[in-house]
Amino acid sequence: MLLCTSRLHLERRYQIHTGLQHSIIRPTQPNCLPLDNATLPQKLKEVGYSTHMVGKWHLGFYRKECMPTKRGFDTFFGSLLGSGDYYTHYKCDSPGMCGYDLYENDDAAWDYDNGVYSTQMYTQRVQQILASHDPRKPIFLYIAYQAVHSPLQAPGRYFEHYRSIININRRRYAAMLSCLDEAINNVTLALKTYGFYNNSIIIYSSDNGGQPTAGGSNWPLRGSKGTYWEGGIRAVGFVHSPLLKNKGTVCKELVHITDWYPTLISLAEGQIDEDIQLDGYDVWETISEGLRSPRVDILHNIDPIYTKAKNGSLAAGYGIWNTAIQSAIRVQHWKLLTGNPGYSDWVPPQSFSNLGPNRWHNERITLSTGKSVWLFNITADPYERVDLSNRYPGVVKQLLRRLSQFNKTAVPVRYPPKDPRSNPRLNGGVWGPWYKEENKKQKPSKNKAKKKQKKNKTKKKQQKAGAFPKCHSGVTRG
């Protein structure tokens, strides 16, 4: 059995190879994970796995083909958007753009609109799936808990142990995390109760760092969620399994979220076609046995449409790379950032006053000093305090060339404008697919065009023959 909790990458490629290298998929955008790439659950189904998803999708839903049940999951119970109310399961993307966001497979789960906290509700569904599945048959269970994403909400009893935390956001965050910890424990107990545990692999993964303004803390790392500093991209994760050869160890090798795809397919004895290009590596021996990682670099991202750094230029990149472009890459011990990496402060614990992070306590760095390139030895300096770009220009050039090589393989950014037809008001008050319905509306217009064209041809023929056009009553009007 394969069990993956929190936000796990279902795809095999870097963002630059999916067109999703800018920002996130907004609820109102006609966009989703590319349909031409096989997802992890699709590959596991090929080798007989039952596949189930519980929790947050956030990979696009503008057409039915983008939904979880069309991307490899036998069942889906959860939300389509990136965030929402933990109790009501409603989400407002903007004024007048609000709707219900809880699904059972392909339909709105109105029966569950009863105010149950999502972390507990999702755990109950996982327990039901395990109780009804034969442990002798393979199963892949993907649980993408909503916690600890904003809005900061938790049941009252989880606040009891955190009354000493002055900052209200930190207190709420701690309560949410306690509820999440309890959920993981309950899922693990269910694995044991229903006979799955001894042949299971539990992977706990995250997709980004914390947001200090919403209760998170990345100290002593630099930056926050949404940035390319280590505080934004270095995430917590662990693997728990009786099948691990070396238990209780810490892996400090390079591992990227795209590595789960080939690793899990290999563990399931699945097949990856030779012509399929991967950005991930099979890292099971690295995790289980402590061997060196096959990975030597990580492309954190290249975002060509993010706000350009005012001081960046091709000249600043030695004619190799335009350093105005936001990008970050890791090659062995070295990490290079260009452009505008995002919020760059270090936020120590004492900066959290009762009103939120107090910037007077932060170690602030101004990016208006003409810089657009940073180089760090991340192994020696994981906190990104000592910029080595001036000391090692040769290393900078080497990493800029690697960035340029990656960029040659990039596909165009897919970040379409807002589509007003996505409004839940037009879909029964529910966030859900809208594109297919629009296609159905377009089809008659095509027929109308063809009929109109045919009608015009008929008119011309009749006019040549001396017929009176207005008497042509046999043509069907659209």
Side-chain angles (χ1 to χ4, degrees):
M1 179 203 175
L2 299 173
L3 173 70
C4 300
T5 63
S6 193
R7 303 286 291 137
L8 179 71
H9 211 283
L10 303 176
E11 243 279 348
R12 62 180 188 263
R13 310 298 319 265
Y14 286 134
Q15 303 97 306
I16 65 164
H17 296 142
T18 63
L20 301 176
Q21 57 267 59
H22 179 68
S23 190
I24 59 174
I25 298 175
R26 307 289 176 180
T28 57
Q29 287 181 313
N31 199 9
C32 73
L33 188 70
L35 299 174
D36 56 351
N37 292 343
T39 64
L40 176 58
Q42 286 172 327
K43 297 300 293 183
L44 293 176
K45 280 179 67 68
E46 292 178 1
V47 288
Y49 272 73
S50 174
T51 58
H52 305 272
M53 178 181 171
V54 178
K56 180 169 119 177
W57 176 239
H58 203 198
L59 290 172
F61 58 88
Y62 78 104
R63 53 194 293 180
K64 291 182 179 179
E65 292 84 357
C66 300
M67 295 286 281
T69 54
K70 301 299 188 293
R71 304 310 308 271
F73 288 107
D74 295 326
T75 67
F76 167 63
F77 180 68
S79 63
L80 297 177
L81 279 63
S83 64
D85 192 281
Y86 281 71
Y87 293 96
T88 67
H89 317 299
Y90 273 82
K91 169 70 176 182
C92 287
D93 186 61
S94 61
M97 294 288 284
C98 304
Y100 187 64
D101 182 30
L102 185 63
Y103 269 73
E104 175 94 58
N105 297 322
D106 297 327
D107 300 307
W110 289 111
D111 292 342
Y112 292 88
D113 185 17
N114 49 20
V116 178
Y117 188 67
S118 72
T119 301
Q120 297 168 331
M121 180 177 63
Y122 291 156
T123 301
Q124 292 169 6
R125 174 51 62 95
V126 171
Q127 291 167 329
Q128 293 169 8
I129 292 172
L130 294 175
S132 61
H133 188 82
D134 184 348
R136 295 170 297 181
K137 296 181 179 179
I139 180 174
F140 171 62
L141 185 52
Y142 172 43
I143 316 168
Y145 281 108
Q146 186 178 352
V148 287
H149 198 286
S150 60
L152 302 180
Q153 298 171 298
R157 68 182 180 90
Y158 294 98
F159 286 83
E160 295 175 3
H161 298 293
Y162 304 108
R163 293 174 183 171
S164 62
I165 299 179
I166 298 174
N167 180 273
I168 186 61
N169 283 347
R170 290 291 289 164
R171 195 186 317 154
R172 288 172 178 161
Y173 195 94
M176 294 169 74
L177 194 56
S178 284
C179 185
L180 180 61
D181 285 344
E182 181 180 277
I184 300 300
N185 180 60
N186 289 336
V187 169
T188 307
L189 290 176
L191 291 174
K192 294 179 179 179
T193 300
Y194 299 114
F196 294 92
Y197 180 78
N198 290 333
N199 194 36
S200 67
I201 297 172
I202 303 172
I203 297 173
Y204 188 97
S205 179
S206 183
D207 57 351
N208 49 251
Q211 179 57 272
T213 58
S217 176
N218 303 310
W219 177 261
L221 299 179
R222 184 177 183 178
S224 63
K225 175 182 176 178
T227 75
Y228 294 170
W229 303 109
E230 291 296 284
I233 60 175
R234 185 182 288 232
V236 176
F238 66 81
V239 177
H240 176 79
S241 173
L243 306 178
L244 287 169
K245 292 185 178 180
N246 294 343
K247 300 178 178 65
T249 61
V250 176
C251 176
K252 295 185 177 181
E253 293 291 313
L254 277 185
V255 176
H256 186 257
I257 200 163
T258 55
D259 296 333
W260 294 128
Y261 186 94
T263 301
L264 296 184
I265 292 175
S266 177
L267 283 170
E269 298 181 351
Q271 296 294 323
I272 299 177
D273 298 335
E274 293 182 1
D275 59 337
I276 291 182
Q277 294 182 333
L278 296 176
D279 290 322
Y281 296 84
D282 181 352
V283 293
W284 181 248
E285 290 183 343
T286 302
I287 294 169
S288 178
E289 302 176 35
L291 301 184
R292 295 299 302 269
S293 172
R295 175 179 288 282
V296 295
D297 58 22
I298 295 175
L299 176 66
H300 293 306
N301 198 24
I302 299 172
D303 187 343
I305 65 175
Y306 190 80
T307 304
K308 302 294 188 296
K310 295 180 181 180
N311 302 303
S313 65
L314 187 61
Y318 300 97
I320 302 169
W321 180 258
N322 183 354
T323 62
I325 297 172
Q326 186 193 53
S327 69
I329 188 172
R330 170 83 180 266
V331 178
Q332 295 178 337
H333 301 299
W334 297 105
K335 177 183 176 183
L336 182 84
L337 302 95
T338 72
N340 179 4
Y343 178 82
S344 62
D345 289 6
W346 293 270
V347 186
Q350 62 267 30
S351 70
F352 291 94
S353 70
N354 191 35
L355 299 177
N358 186 335
R359 293 181 66 92
W360 290 105
H361 290 289
N362 295 359
E363 297 184 59
R364 304 192 64 184
I365 297 293
T366 176
L367 298 181
S368 60
T369 56
K371 284 197 63 62
S372 60
V373 179
W374 295 262
L375 178 70
F376 300 97
N377 183 327
I378 290 297
T379 304
D381 178 27
Y383 314 134
E384 296 169 298
R385 291 185 172 274
V386 183
D387 175 23
L388 301 172
S389 58
N390 291 329
R391 192 184 305 178
Y392 297 105
V395 176
V396 171
K397 292 177 185 178
Q398 177 188 348
L399 270 62
L400 289 174
R401 291 190 190 96
R402 190 74 181 105
L403 267 177
S404 179
Q405 290 171 352
F406 270 119
N407 198 47
K408 290 176 182 177
T409 67
V411 301
V413 177
R414 291 164 53 243
Y415 196 74
K418 173 181 177 179
D419 187 338
R421 292 162 292 191
S422 63
N423 196 323
R425 289 182 180 179
L426 306 177
N427 192 31
V430 181
W431 289 103
W434 71 89
Y435 181 80
K436 192 170 185 180
E437 294 176 4
E438 180 60 23
N439 273 355
K440 289 180 180 179
K441 292 179 182 177
Q442 290 176 352
K443 287 180 181 178
S445 63
K446 291 181 180 179
N447 292 335
K448 282 183 182 179
K450 289 181 180 178
K451 288 175 182 177
K452 187 174 182 180
Q453 189 177 15
K454 184 177 180 181
K455 180 179 176 180
N456 291 337
K457 287 181 179 179
T458 305
K459 282 184 180 179
K460 289 179 181 178
K461 287 180 181 179
Q462 289 176 334
Q463 286 171 347
K464 286 181 180 179
F468 193 67
K470 289 186 180 180
C471 293
H472 188 60
S473 60
V475 175
T476 303
R477 298 184 183 273

